[in-house]
Amino acid sequence: MDIRNMKNITIVVPDCGVNLNSIGGAFEILRRANDFWIKTGNESRLEIHIAGFMRELKAHESYLAIHPIDIRTIQRTNLVIIPSLIDDFSKVVNTNRALIDWIYKQYQNGAEVASICSGAFLLAATGLLNGKSCSIHWNKAVEFKRMFPEIKVAEDKIITDENGIYTNGGAYSFLNLILYLVEKIFDRSVAVYCSKVFQIDMERTAQSHFTIFNIQKGHGDELIGKAQTYIEENIDAKISFENLASELAISRRSFDRRFIKATGNTPMEYLQRVKVEAAKKELEKGRKSIFEIMTDVGYADDKAFREVFRKITGLSPAEYRNKYNRSVA
């Protein structure tokens, strides 16, 4: 189906904690895009609904509320947008079976589906992401992988687009997803207009330089926890994982397997990420040179340090410092 022929958009309201900004923001940008399209001499292209199985959903300690229409009155739609969720994700899946089925049936009937941030948990529960890539907020990636190991998480991407299914990285990067959809629905000029009106950077494609490396220690594996502590306390040393495994009285193969299961990273990936996180903090302070920071985190090869830093953050050390160090003009 060509998304340019789309007429009906349904922003769904799950029965759970929801980030209302992702609903209101998506609605407002799409509405403004359609208004601009009309003002430039075209016929209205969109009919936008906010729909769910409940009459009211309160959020933010009941300061805010939304009143969706009954989703059962919508027989067919062209695009389903799933907002960002704020809740226990296993509970969300269990309490929204009817909505999950509705989304699945709409896709089977030709609709496209877009998830915003943690809305990907609801989308994944439909089975529509199986065998596809999915972007999600970096701090939800580990939990998502545990719940849906059959789905490939595109950790660095802000937006994925596969076979009429769209996902995005998270937080306010959903604005980039909505702009992306605006360009597909209308054209580049409408997307540029919305970019200027809402002051959204159209060229953001990666989320890696926003990532704060979260030291995963809630896994319950005491042995791997000891290994993590050792790595974090010796980032300037040349660590032999063969020797570390031996010190922990475990084979290297079992050590690697348990480490990946517990943290989501190989031991070497974990070490690199710890080093880069320490380097990021020093670059943000701006008190040391890049060479000094590189040495502090255990790198002797400037090229190797820059390559690992860029791989993890999407930026060079100099670019990161210029972007996040307040003392840089």
Side-chain angles (χ1 to χ4, degrees), residues 1 58 109 126 266 275 301:
M1 183 192 84
K58 294 182 178 180
N109 288 332
T126 67
T266 66
K275 287 176 181 287
D301 186 331

Side-chain angles (χ1 to χ4, degrees), residues 213-264:
F213 180 47
N214 198 4
I215 308 298
Q216 295 296 328
K217 289 185 175 176
H219 45 71
D221 190 325
E222 185 178 351
L223 183 144
I224 297 304
K226 291 179 180 178
Q228 289 173 273
T229 299
Y230 180 85
I231 291 169
E232 292 153 21
E233 292 177 352
N234 294 275
I235 59 171
D236 59 340
K238 187 174 182 180
I239 296 176
S240 166
F241 292 113
E242 194 73 42
N243 291 342
L244 179 56
S246 179
E247 287 290 326
L248 295 169
I250 187 174
S251 72
R252 175 63 192 277
R253 183 176 179 181
S254 294
F255 174 72
D256 287 354
R257 178 181 55 78
R258 283 174 63 173
F259 201 100
I260 293 169
K261 181 179 179 181
T263 70

Side-chain angles (χ1 to χ4, degrees), residues 262-280:
T263 70
N265 297 122
T266 66
M268 180 54 70
E269 287 170 346
Y270 191 88
L271 173 61
Q272 289 176 337
R273 291 173 70 86
V274 170
K275 287 176 181 287
V276 167
E277 186 62 22
K280 284 165 60 179

Side-chain angles (χ1 to χ4, degrees), residues 41-58:
N42 302 286
E43 293 185 1
S44 176
R45 177 158 282 176
L46 300 183
E47 185 176 346
I48 310 167
H49 299 288
I50 299 175
F53 284 97
M54 76 295 294
R55 292 185 176 182
E56 180 183 58
L57 180 70
K58 294 182 178 180

Side-chain angles (χ1 to χ4, degrees), residues 142-282:
V142 172
E143 185 175 359
F144 187 86
K145 289 177 183 177
R146 287 174 179 167
M147 285 183 65
F148 304 103
E150 66 279 10
I151 298 171
K152 180 182 178 182
V153 177
E155 294 187 36
D156 184 43
K157 290 188 177 181
I158 282 181
I159 297 169
T160 64
D161 175 351
E162 285 189 63
N163 300 324
I165 295 181
Y166 309 89
T167 66
N168 96 279
Y172 281 86
S173 69
F174 82 86
L175 300 172
N176 296 92
L177 172 64
I178 303 304
L179 274 190
Y180 183 81
L181 295 173
V182 164
E183 184 170 354
K184 282 180 168 288
I185 296 166
F186 300 98
D187 58 27
R188 180 73 174 181
S189 68
V190 180
V192 169
Y193 168 79
C194 290
S195 172
K196 291 178 178 179
V197 169
F198 294 99
Q199 300 185 22
I200 306 167
D201 182 0
M202 291 186 68
E203 304 308 322
R204 279 178 57 194
T205 59
Q207 64 171 328
S208 54
H209 52 281
F210 296 104
T211 302
I212 302 170
F213 180 47
N214 198 4
I215 308 298
Q216 295 296 328
K217 289 185 175 176
H219 45 71
D221 190 325
E222 185 178 351
L223 183 144
I224 297 304
K226 291 179 180 178
Q228 289 173 273
T229 299
Y230 180 85
I231 291 169
E232 292 153 21
E233 292 177 352
N234 294 275
I235 59 171
D236 59 340
K238 187 174 182 180
I239 296 176
S240 166
F241 292 113
E242 194 73 42
N243 291 342
L244 179 56
S246 179
E247 287 290 326
L248 295 169
I250 187 174
S251 72
R252 175 63 192 277
R253 183 176 179 181
S254 294
F255 174 72
D256 287 354
R257 178 181 55 78
R258 283 174 63 173
F259 201 100
I260 293 169
K261 181 179 179 181
T263 70
N265 297 122
T266 66
M268 180 54 70
E269 287 170 346
Y270 191 88
L271 173 61
Q272 289 176 337
R273 291 173 70 86
V274 170
K275 287 176 181 287
V276 167
E277 186 62 22
K280 284 165 60 179
K281 290 177 181 177
E282 289 301 321

